DNA sequence: ATGTAC
């Protein structure tokens, strides 16, 4: 009977890279070190990771060490990481998990890295951490952008009294339900229309041509995971010169989604191309890049921009539908993407800035940073802080993994929290419950130097993917209305 | 994040 129980997460937290080495190391340690403490086992694993060459001939631990040794470096295309990484700034470090820090330290050792920063909502991701910002010179890293290319926030602000959300809750809930479609593979039977589907890129690359049909049917859908469409109260404390809205309360429509299957296929395709072209040590494998001077780099750039335009179109279709149903034009719209790569000038030099779960925060640039289904979100204005490479967090950041949230949060807890905040949830699982997220107020404190708050968004009617969790209030109303 | 997966 083994006393030792290691988890993959613990290995990642001490810097073990994604890949087969995690399960190999877990298996070996659970056999060879079964009577040792977890601390001892982790210390040994750390030591192997620090200098795998010292263990490569060890009869037992050598198997782990050889997984960590960058065999690819010996191959003809092999690329080594720098011994010392570039310096990067970390904002709100006390809220950032160790795994995310390790991933950023690895990214900082890439020979193409020019500058980096970690946002206060950072957590462990695939390749670059979520909340990671990385500037490179003349190369683009597909997994530095992420799988959901162009994922973004979009807010419409209407001149409607937000009290109506309480008074006519069922009317607004129906508007969201009718205008949106959630679900992992969700497609409309009758495709929406948008000029993005006529984009020339669809004809230029075979990959994009192949993705056109499904992309069309997914146009205007929201997907799954942390994506949402919600009504809430926009509160402007004082007029801001950039947002230019009089102080007051407004009705807001806020959406969060990305480029669906289109972006996902582009990301995975070009990551594979990059990984096969540039053999990096295992821990940096998924940070393989494409050179902007080669055809694949140009292709990725074209496809990435298409996915960005497509993600934007998805939001606009939803917002247009709802605005039409409300019979109003929004006073303002604020939109920003947070999974993308941009050509920007840094210290007088053009660089490619990858933001993976980070909000652009150049001087006077508006953005939206959401909290959770019950916590407030913020309309922000960038300060143009070079130390963060003109970036801020893209949300509160997860505190609990999806699996951990599902295990530890009960439906009753979520229901009580929704009632407490007077939020109606039209769909959404326990893995998206407010308790799974960091405290957004704390995260905002960690980035005071990066953004100014110009408005507040308080969610009231929230739609996400998944079975609706019923509040007592809405159950009562359903009975009253005979649903 | 993604409809069927190195």
């Amino acid at each position: 009977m083994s006393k030792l129980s290691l988890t993959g997460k613990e290995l990642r937290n001490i810097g073990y890279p994604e890949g087969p080495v995690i399960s190999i190391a877990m298996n070996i340690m659970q056999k060879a070190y079964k009577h040792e403490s977890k601390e001892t086992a982790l210390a040994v694993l750390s030591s192997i990771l620090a200098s795998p060459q010292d263990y490569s001939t060890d009869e037992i631990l050598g198997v782990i060490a050889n997984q960590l040794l960058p065999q690819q470096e010996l191959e003809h295309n092999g690329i080594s990481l720098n011994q010392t990484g570039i310096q990067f700034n970390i904002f709100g470090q006390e809220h950032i998990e160790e795994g995310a820090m390790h991933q950023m330290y690895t990214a900082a050792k890439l020979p193409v890295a020019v500058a980096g920063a970690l946002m206060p909502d950072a957590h462990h991701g695939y390749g670059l951490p979520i909340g990671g910002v990385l500037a490179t010179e003349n190369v683009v890293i597909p997994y530095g952008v992420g799988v959901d290319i162009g994922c973004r926030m979009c807010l419409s602000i209407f001149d409607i009294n937000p009290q109506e959300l309480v008074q006519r809750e069922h009317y607004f809930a129906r508007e969201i339900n009718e205008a949106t479609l959630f679900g992992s593979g969700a497609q409309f039977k009758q495709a929406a229309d948008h000029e993005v589907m006529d984009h020339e890129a669809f004809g230029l690359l075979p990959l994009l041509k192949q993705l056109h049909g499904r992309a069309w049917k997914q146009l205007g859908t929201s997907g799954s995971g942390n994506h949402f469409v919600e009504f809430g109260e926009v509160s402007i404390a004082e007029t801001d010169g950039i947002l230019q809205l009089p102080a007051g309360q407004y009705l807001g429509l806020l959406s969060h989604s990305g480029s669906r299957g289109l972006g996902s296929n582009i990301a995975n395709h070009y990551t594979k191309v990059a990984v096969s072209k540039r053999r990096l040590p295992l821990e940096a494998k998924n940070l393989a890049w494409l050179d902007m001077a080669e055809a694949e780099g140009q292709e990725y750039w074209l496809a990435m921009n298409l996915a960005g335009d497509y993600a934007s179109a998805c939001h606009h279709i939803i917002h247009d539908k709802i605005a039409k149903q409300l019979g109003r034009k929004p006073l303002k719209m604020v939109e920003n993407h947070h999974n993308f790569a941009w050509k920007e000038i840094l210290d007088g030099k053009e660089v490619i800035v990858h933001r993976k779960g980070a909000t652009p925060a150049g001087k006077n640039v508006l953005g939206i940073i959401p909290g959770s289904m019950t916590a407030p979100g913020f309309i922000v204005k960038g300060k143009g802080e070079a130390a963060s490479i003109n970036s801020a967090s893209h949300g509160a950041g997860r505190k609990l993994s999806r699996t951990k949230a599902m295990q530890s949060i009960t439906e009753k807890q979520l229901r009580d929290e929704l009632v407490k905040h007077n939020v109606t949830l039209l769909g959404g699982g326990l893995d998206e419950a407010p308790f799974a997220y960091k405290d957004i107020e704390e995260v905002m404190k960690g980035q005071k130097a990066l953004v100014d708050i110009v408005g507040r968004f308080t969610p009231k009617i929230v739609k996400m993917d998944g079975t609706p969790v019923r509040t007592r209030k809405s159950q009562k109303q359903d009975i009253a209305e005979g649903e």
Side-chain angles (χ1 to χ4, degrees):
Chain A
M1 196 70 82
S2 165
K3 274 198 297 181
L4 180 68
S5 83
L6 287 169
T7 65
K9 193 181 177 190
E10 284 165 336
L11 299 204
R12 287 181 196 99
N13 277 342
I14 60 168
Y16 270 67
E18 237 19 275
V21 65
I22 302 256
S23 53
I24 290 169
M26 278 164 67
N27 284 334
I28 289 174
M29 295 310 280
Q30 265 153 12
K31 279 182 202 139
Y33 280 71
K34 62 182 170 190
H35 300 302
E36 303 288 341
S37 70
K38 180 178 283 192
E39 288 70 29
T40 308
L42 287 172
V44 170
L45 286 168
S46 286
S47 172
I48 300 171
L49 181 65
S51 47
Q53 62 279 8
D54 296 347
Y55 290 87
S56 66
T57 55
D58 187 292
E59 207 175 311
I60 295 159
L61 302 177
V63 181
I64 303 172
N66 287 325
Q67 284 292 319
L68 292 165
L69 278 171
Q71 294 123 335
Q72 295 96 333
E73 276 184 39
L74 306 172
E75 290 175 20
H76 110 104
N77 256 346
I79 296 162
S80 317
L81 292 182
N82 291 338
Q83 292 265 314
T84 326
I86 54 159
Q87 295 269 323
F88 60 89
N89 292 300
I90 303 166
F91 295 86
Q93 184 162 358
E94 63 275 24
H95 311 296
I96 300 176
E97 62 183 32
E98 227 180 313
M101 306 271 269
H102 272 289
Q103 287 189 310
M104 200 64 210
Y105 282 116
T106 299
K109 289 180 189 166
L110 291 174
V112 293
V114 175
L118 208 49
M119 301 302 109
D121 62 336
H123 50 108
H124 190 275
Y126 205 67
L128 199 64
I130 321 290
V133 183
L134 188 71
T136 56
E137 223 172 326
N138 296 321
V139 304
V140 62
I141 303 172
Y143 267 5
V145 168
V147 177
D148 194 3
I149 300 171
C151 184
R152 66 190 58 212
M153 307 298 309
C154 185
L155 172 68
S156 286
I157 304 174
F158 293 96
D159 190 13
I160 296 174
N161 185 342
Q163 280 301 312
E164 289 200 26
L165 291 175
V166 182
Q167 293 153 358
R168 302 168 66 205
E169 183 197 317
H170 273 235
Y171 165 76
F172 285 100
R174 197 177 60 225
E175 297 304 320
I176 292 190
N177 278 330
E178 285 180 358
T180 64
L181 183 61
F182 282 78
S184 179
Q187 305 183 8
F188 282 112
K189 287 189 193 96
Q190 187 125 36
D193 209 9
H194 194 282
E195 59 186 13
V196 74
M197 299 316 299
D198 302 327
H199 197 292
E200 59 165 8
F202 280 115
L204 290 172
L205 299 176
L207 173 74
L208 298 179
K209 190 171 262 176
Q210 185 194 314
L211 295 170
H212 185 271
R214 190 180 53 184
W216 202 354
K217 293 206 157 178
Q218 292 190 324
L219 192 61
T221 62
S222 294
S224 62
N226 58 2
H227 291 173
F228 59 76
V229 175
E230 60 194 28
F231 279 120
E233 180 183 304
V234 171
S235 171
I236 308 290
E238 55 181 292
T239 306
D240 173 79
I242 302 295
L243 184 64
Q244 292 190 321
L245 266 184
Q249 316 296 113
Y250 301 85
L251 189 146
L253 171 68
L254 180 62
S255 51
H256 175 209
S257 56
S259 52
R260 312 289 287 105
L262 176 66
S264 159
N265 277 275
I266 293 168
N268 289 322
H269 174 82
Y270 284 100
T271 290
K272 275 184 203 151
V273 173
V275 166
S276 68
K277 279 198 99 146
R278 304 222 156 63
R279 304 254 170 221
L280 285 156
L282 196 55
E283 70 271 28
K285 187 181 162 203
N286 292 318
L287 292 169
W289 61 85
L290 297 168
D291 201 302
M292 293 300 281
E294 63 194 3
E296 291 91 335
Q298 290 295 316
E299 285 176 19
Y300 175 76
W301 198 259
L302 177 72
M304 176 194 77
N305 275 285
L306 174 70
D309 292 346
Y310 175 86
S312 179
C314 288
H315 284 263
H316 285 262
I317 284 166
I318 296 165
H319 284 242
D320 287 352
K321 271 191 206 170
I322 292 180
K324 206 170 172 189
Q325 285 163 347
L326 296 179
R328 302 287 184 96
K329 280 214 166 85
L331 295 175
K332 292 279 171 195
M333 285 184 88
V334 181
E335 178 178 344
N336 73 267
H337 35 336
H338 49 230
N339 283 5
F340 213 64
W342 288 260
K343 287 179 183 170
E344 293 179 13
I345 305 292
L346 193 68
D347 295 330
K349 207 165 52 181
E350 188 186 88
V351 292
I352 292 179
V353 177
H354 304 74
R355 293 189 181 87
K356 187 178 182 189
T359 303
K363 182 81 178 158
N364 290 336
V365 171
L366 292 172
I368 308 129
I369 301 176
S372 74
M373 57 171 73
T374 57
F378 297 89
I379 308 172
V380 297
K381 187 173 75 172
K383 290 189 168 185
E385 175 54 61
S388 73
I389 320 178
N390 291 317
S391 309
S393 89
H394 82 311
R398 289 199 84 88
K399 186 168 68 184
L400 301 176
S401 68
R402 289 187 182 280
T403 34
K404 207 154 212 173
M406 297 289 259
Q407 286 162 1
S408 60
I409 301 167
T410 66
E411 234 181 80
K412 184 185 178 331
Q413 283 175 311
L414 173 55
R415 227 181 288 133
D416 290 348
E417 188 72 4
L418 291 166
V419 169
K420 185 174 144 195
H421 291 272
N422 214 353
V423 169
T424 303
L425 186 63
L426 305 174
L430 293 172
D431 45 352
E432 286 300 324
F435 323 108
Y437 285 90
K438 294 180 193 173
D439 181 347
I440 185 69
E441 306 281 357
E442 285 298 313
V443 170
M444 294 309 289
K445 273 184 209 161
Q447 52 187 352
K448 273 194 166 157
L450 312 183
V451 287
D452 280 323
I453 295 169
V454 297
R456 206 173 233 266
F457 176 92
T458 311
K460 287 294 166 206
I461 302 173
V462 180
K463 173 132 185 177
M464 299 187 86
D465 183 35
T467 324
V469 176
R470 296 268 155 148
T471 60
R472 260 168 289 149
K473 197 178 120 215
S474 68
Q475 275 170 342
K476 256 191 259 165
Q477 284 178 358
D478 290 345
I479 293 160
E481 295 191 12
E483 184 183 295

